[in-house]
Amino acid sequence: MNPQPFPAGPITCHRGRGLPLVGADIDTDRIIPARFLKCVSFDDLASGVFADDRSERPGDHPFDREHHQGASVLVVNRNFGCGSSREHAPQALMRWGIRALIGESFAEIFFGNCLALGIPCLSAEGRHVAELQEAIAVDPGAELLLDLEVLQVELESEFVGTNRWPVFLDPGPHRMLLSGHWDGTSQLVAHDAELTATATALPYLNGFR
Amino acid sequence: MSAGTLYDKVWDLHRVAELPGGSTQLFIGLHLIHEVTSPQAFAALRDLGLAVRHPERTVATVDHIVPTTSQARPFADPLAEAMLATLEANCSEHGITLHGLGSGRQGIVHVIAPELGLTQPGMTVACGDSHTSTHGAFGAIAFGIGTSQVRDVLASQSLSMAKLKVRRIWVDGRLQRGVYAKDLVLHIIRTLGVKGGVGHAYEFAGPAIAALSMEERMTLCNMAIEGGARCGYVNPDAVTFAYLRGRPEAPGAEAWDRAVAWWSTLASGPEARFDDEVRFDAATIAPTVTWGITPGQGIGVDETVPTPEELDPEERPLAGEAYRYMALRPGAPIAGTPVDVCFIGSCTNGRLSDLQAAAAVAQGRRVAPGIRAFVVPGSEQVAAAAEAEGLDAVFRSAGFEWRQPGCSMCLAMNPDRLEGRQISASSSNRNFKGRQGSAAGRTLLMSPAMVAAAALAGRVVDVRPLLTAAASPSSASC
Ligand code: SF4
């Protein structure tokens, strides 16, 4: 688990260790099994991350391996986060400590739910993802530097040297993250004067006058 | 593009701002919350350091997890108890009205808001529950939202929305005796498909709709979502106004005339333009029953389970899955299908007129041996009104259990659930695999009168002959 603060404000770069999770079409039901949905807060979701997958290989799942504790960049393959639209999936990953994902591709709703939390899902070419996953496996202690301004990920390793790979992000989400406008709630809260004006003109809030 | 419809008018009235992503910020006039989807939203609000912007525009109740046998606290299920305790703490911290157990006003969120007069024409209504479309019966624009949107409404009394298309569903004629709003909406969904309404608001209009009571209109709009529509509504009229008059949260005598005058301006006028229109004839609709695993897989009670050849090619894979799951044979009549459990209740059909219709069938008859049948009123007010009329006694002496209000076996988040491969006749709204609490449990959706008839026969039967034989069933009143 990771004590880092939750994302806030403009997201221009992130530095942290990587966690490779190999496999295509990993769905939200695997990320957070349904039984964890009957809960009163998202706080305890971290313990449910990949709960069923982890119990199938005790201690040996990437999320359980000693050297990945404290990692914050999840490196995945194709169509990550498919299946039900549950918002609990990115919440659970965030509460475990994940602050960015790099992968071949992401399911659309999962991507949007991550964006709304300030967690970038960066896509990269398949061979680059494989290289990155391999490099992390060789040197799990190496730090990744994600530069969102130039859309590049860099791995500095004493063993495998320094490597850079290009990553991709659609212009809309890219702008939202860089400007800090990824948080839908703060956008809505920002229009307080307009909100008051709308409410003042609504007959049912004003005695139908 | 639609213009001049009630949807367009309500949309324009509630616009706050255009947002950078291209969507519109819409003011929410009434926000309803319950114990399941609100706790995480309150927690997120706390994380962001934000307050509730308009606590007086949010109203809470508890419905999904409450037991319907004993509602004594603490509940036997510690998680259910924790969910209610959290709701209570959040409401008291933020100054939100909570209609709790025993208040006389508790019940399913989509039952209590209308009966308290909270839901009114021209409002935007949001709730973290799919079936919020119910409130469209009053000429409100009402939609279900997810947890992060619940947080948004708490923080800003508004939502980021994209404008919908408007489809008019025009229904001519009159529903026949023994055919109810539930049959009408199952018929509409069967015809247009469960995805037919995606991206749309459904406006229900025409002589058959005008003739519906408010409670029937609620049943209709409740299931608009099951047809894929984001919301469904009926234009407000004299029936709407008569229902609202004198309700605790409706406009009082002083404002009443002005309210009616304003409400009357909201309906789609003759000049209104719709994106498209679909027509139905109410007189041709039979009592309708679902045979499959989506609400769109419905047939008349006098029909047979469709064979693959009778279906469009793209419907066949799902039909195949449904035959296997439901263990129903293509080409077999749906009438005569044995049932194990009969459930009357839910936000679709848990109101007084629903219980009256079912009681009229049950009156003086007996539930078939081996059938578990139970009635769960939609709210404490519905329960009290039904008991005042003696409906509880009618049900009990016919062999039905009479329960306390809640969502109950609609989604089985409380102890009421199917077991194993049991099959239910249910007045609720979803027949998805596992919906009623058992992973292999099966659901046949139908009207409350049809559920009562199934309970008496122990199998699916046409309710119409029973009505002719019965004394004089009280028709839907409100
Ligand atoms: S009765 Fe069923 S559909 Fe209605 S609010 Fe409760 S769980 Fe949801």
Side-chain angles (χ1 to χ4, degrees):
Chain A
M1 315 257 167
N2 196 313
Q4 288 195 44
F6 294 150
I11 308 217
T12 54
C13 64
H14 174 76
R15 182 184 278 278
R17 284 185 287 117
L19 195 166
L21 187 70
V22 178
D25 303 313
I26 292 179
D27 62 43
T28 52
D29 203 52
R30 285 175 65 188
I31 299 173
I32 184 83
R35 63 178 180 281
F36 291 94
L37 307 190
K38 195 174 169 187
C39 61
V40 291
S41 93
F42 284 142
D43 295 352
D44 303 328
L45 284 180
S47 59
V49 171
F50 289 105
D52 291 343
D53 286 11
R54 289 161 82 174
S55 67
E56 275 172 24
R57 40 198 282 208
D60 189 39
H61 189 277
F63 274 81
D64 285 325
R65 287 185 203 142
E66 185 59 39
H67 50 251
H68 288 322
Q69 300 312 303
S72 60
V73 182
L74 185 60
V75 186
V76 298
N77 299 95
R78 193 163 29 77
N79 197 25
F80 186 79
C82 56
S84 130
S85 66
R86 63 186 61 157
E87 292 174 27
H88 298 66
Q91 280 282 353
L93 291 171
M94 179 177 81
R95 280 162 204 280
W96 190 87
I98 300 301
R99 293 293 175 270
L101 290 91
I102 301 172
E104 287 175 56
S105 62
F106 298 91
E108 196 179 327
I109 295 174
F110 177 83
F111 180 98
N113 285 339
C114 284
L115 181 65
L117 295 173
I119 296 181
C121 292
L122 305 162
S123 46
E125 276 183 41
R127 61 194 166 97
H128 292 158
V129 170
E131 286 169 17
L132 185 55
Q133 287 176 330
E134 213 164 289
I136 299 167
V138 172
D139 185 4
E143 292 235 308
L144 295 175
L145 178 62
L146 265 63
D147 186 334
L148 264 80
E149 309 222 37
V150 300
L151 290 176
Q152 169 182 280
V153 53
E154 183 178 306
L155 179 108
E156 299 165 355
S157 165
E158 291 173 34
F159 308 112
V160 290
T162 297
N163 276 296
R164 294 187 187 83
W165 297 272
V167 290
F168 305 96
L169 191 61
D170 278 343
H174 192 197
R175 225 180 307 119
M176 288 164 81
L177 287 165
L178 291 182
S179 63
H181 283 153
W182 47 269
D183 161 21
T185 308
S186 64
Q187 278 184 30
L188 297 174
V189 171
H191 294 140
D192 202 65
E194 292 92 328
L195 190 95
T196 305
T198 303
T200 310
L202 278 171
Y204 64 83
L205 294 182
N206 299 284
F208 297 93
R209 262 176 258 275
Chain B
M1 216 172 70
S2 68
T5 69
L6 178 138
Y7 176 80
D8 290 283
K9 295 180 200 177
V10 174
W11 174 272
D12 288 345
L13 277 165
H14 290 81
R15 261 162 60 173
V16 173
E18 299 305 315
L19 296 169
S23 57
T24 300
Q25 181 173 358
L26 207 63
F27 184 87
I28 298 302
L30 175 64
H31 183 211
L32 303 168
I33 60 172
H34 57 82
E35 74 283 12
V36 177
T37 51
S38 70
Q40 298 94 338
F42 280 109
L45 204 65
R46 235 165 263 134
D47 288 349
L48 294 170
L50 294 170
V52 177
R53 179 68 174 78
H54 276 288
E56 80 290 357
R57 303 304 307 163
T58 293
V59 176
T61 192
V62 54
D63 49 10
H64 286 67
I65 51 90
V66 296
T68 57
T69 41
S70 161
Q71 297 187 335
R73 302 281 299 275
F75 298 148
D77 174 359
L79 201 44
E81 177 62 28
M83 290 170 106
L84 177 50
T86 305
L87 180 70
E88 289 168 332
N90 283 327
C91 287
S92 84
E93 178 186 340
H94 296 280
I96 291 167
T97 303
L98 166 64
H99 297 298
L101 293 171
S103 64
R105 294 182 165 194
Q106 175 269 342
I108 305 172
V109 63
H110 310 309
V111 176
I112 71 155
E115 74 188 4
L116 291 172
L118 284 163
T119 307
Q120 296 169 19
M123 281 182 171
T124 45
V125 182
C127 174
D129 184 277
S130 318
H131 296 89
T132 308
S133 56
T134 311
H135 306 268
F138 291 80
I141 297 303
F143 24 71
I145 54 179
T147 296
S148 55
Q149 292 177 301
V150 174
R151 173 200 65 201
D152 288 352
V153 181
L154 289 171
S156 73
Q157 201 60 35
S158 63
L159 279 173
S160 161
M161 301 284 297
K163 204 171 174 197
L164 301 164
K165 293 182 178 170
V166 186
R167 169 175 300 151
R168 179 156 71 172
I169 299 200
W170 185 270
V171 191
D172 281 311
R174 285 290 292 263
L175 292 173
Q176 290 179 344
R177 187 176 162 81
V179 182
Y180 304 86
K182 179 65 157 289
D183 303 300
L184 170 61
V185 73
L186 286 173
H187 182 83
I188 291 171
I189 299 169
R190 164 196 187 179
T191 310
L192 301 180
V194 289
K195 297 208 176 101
V198 170
H200 286 81
Y202 277 174
E203 171 172 319
F204 298 104
I209 305 299
L212 296 178
S213 71
M214 282 316 293
E215 297 196 351
E216 292 172 308
R217 294 178 189 185
M218 286 186 242
T219 302
L220 178 66
C221 293
N222 173 278
M223 288 194 68
I225 180 82
E226 301 305 335
R230 192 77 170 82
C231 61
Y233 66 88
V234 177
N235 286 306
D237 60 10
V239 178
T240 320
F241 309 149
Y243 176 97
L244 279 167
R245 186 164 207 148
R247 305 236 164 216
E249 303 291 337
E254 187 268 331
W256 182 257
D257 290 343
R258 289 195 304 275
V260 170
W262 181 63
W263 292 340
S264 305
T265 66
L266 297 167
S268 304
E271 77 299 342
R273 274 209 323 272
F274 298 87
D275 291 280
D276 62 7
E277 180 177 275
V278 186
R279 290 183 164 252
F280 290 89
D281 180 1
T284 62
I285 298 171
T288 301
V289 181
T290 62
W291 58 271
I293 50 177
T294 80
Q297 290 172 318
I299 49 176
V301 66
D302 41 13
E303 293 178 55
T304 51
V305 174
T307 60
E309 299 72 47
E310 290 165 351
L311 295 167
D312 287 341
E314 69 269 21
E315 292 175 16
R316 287 176 198 163
L318 186 68
E321 204 181 323
Y323 302 138
R324 278 191 300 279
Y325 186 82
M326 298 299 292
L328 291 175
R329 206 166 38 77
I334 192 72
T337 306
V339 298
D340 303 305
V341 176
C342 294
F343 169 62
I344 296 171
S346 87
C347 61
T348 312
N349 282 126
R351 299 185 180 81
L352 184 61
S353 58
D354 299 312
L355 306 191
Q356 288 168 335
V361 175
Q363 173 96 52
R365 299 187 170 110
R366 284 294 301 175
V367 169
I371 303 291
R372 190 174 137 227
F374 62 113
V375 184
V376 183
S379 71
E380 292 181 353
Q381 286 199 50
V382 170
E387 286 165 12
E389 286 184 20
L391 300 187
D392 57 328
V394 170
F395 284 120
R396 280 205 182 97
S397 59
F400 289 80
E401 291 174 54
W402 177 254
R403 296 288 189 82
Q404 287 172 285
C407 293
S408 180
M409 215 177 69
C410 175
L411 93 167
M413 254 185 132
N414 79 341
D416 306 331
R417 43 190 60 210
L418 294 180
E419 280 159 34
R421 298 195 67 244
Q422 276 185 330
I423 184 164
S424 76
S426 179
S427 73
S428 55
N429 45 52
R430 283 184 167 163
N431 53 341
F432 302 152
K433 289 178 173 178
R435 167 77 175 183
Q436 293 188 298
S438 161
R442 297 169 290 162
T443 302
L444 306 170
L445 300 176
M446 58 189 84
S447 75
M450 283 284 289
V451 175
L456 304 174
R459 57 197 163 81
V460 175
V461 291
D462 191 336
V463 70
R464 289 173 292 189
L466 294 177
L467 291 175
T468 340
S472 167
S474 48
S475 69
S477 70
C478 47

